Amino acid sequence: MSARLRLTGARTTAGIALTTGLVLAGGALAAPAQAAPVQAGPVQAAPAAAKAPTVGAKGAYLLDNANGKSLFSKAGDTRRQMASTTKIMTVSVVLDTKGVDLNRKVTVKQAYRDYVAKMGASTADLRTGDKLTVRQLLYATMLPSGCDAAMALADTFGSGTTTAARTKSFISKMNAKAKELGLKNTAFDSFDGNSPKGKTYSSPKDLANLTRHALKKTDFRTVVKSTQTVQKAPAANGGTRTYTWYNTNKLLGSYKGTIGVKTGTNTPAGPCLVFAGTRGSKTVVGVLLNDSADRFKDAGKLMDHAFGTKTAKNMTLRKLPASAQRD
């Protein structure tokens, strides 16, 4: 589970006007010309609009990535907690940082592991003292939904003299980015979606628009479409450690055309999913918040609705290894 709090627990009839003319012939008024009779043909009915699918999510939204046009909405402007889909903003703030160096090395602190243990949160199992690049931390944040990796990014890109101050500063940057993007129903008090006070929230529409923004970055698209990655990093003992991370988004490799994006689950938010898919020249972005049914199948149904296809009902979800994180 991602950002999981352990609680001891949406698109004639042709009218033909005939004008009778008066013709002047030799100064006399000629009789009106007679119009040829019009043969009435069968009226062609306009094609019926495709019926919108039913989804189990309390909040859902689907948009056309090219123009931002809404394709489906269910309580699209209602604020809800969104668990680890929060990390889309975490990564966006990093990638939007001017002059960001994705090869910058970051040393893993014990504080990151302690945080995960304290919160009972999903982890990339980063080892204290290992040195990972910012790029590797992006994978660690988005694929296994590592809250330790999200904290490492916040600690690295925030300002201040302590880890607490830097992570708080980073959260302020997340809120500033939301304001910049015009996300009026979005706010953050965490860098990973673990919000004990419930003050990290968004609406399906806002979250879809945030993701539309994030997908403009090549590095973001590369990370979120990966089903798994194997990364090597200098270990604290002087050797080399190999990290293998699997993407918790089971839609990848299951629904043709899926290109991301992020799962999220915790007790207050329920199962959440932000997804995107491309068929031909059309790309759509969707959000499901607190889905009581099957978020992956619901996502497939929404993409079928957008693409005019019927493939979701026969979709077989990609299976995760037993050792992989669940979210």
Side-chain angles (χ1 to χ4, degrees), residues 157-170:
F157 288 89
S159 301
T161 57
T162 65
T163 294
R166 287 189 292 271
T167 53
K168 183 177 180 179
S169 165
F170 185 84

Side-chain angles (χ1 to χ4, degrees), residues 108-118 128 148 151 155 163:
V108 177
K109 297 178 181 178
Q110 181 61 36
Y112 309 158
R113 293 182 61 85
D114 292 343
Y115 172 78
V116 166
K118 177 183 177 181
T128 303
D148 44 358
M151 185 175 183
D155 189 23
T163 294

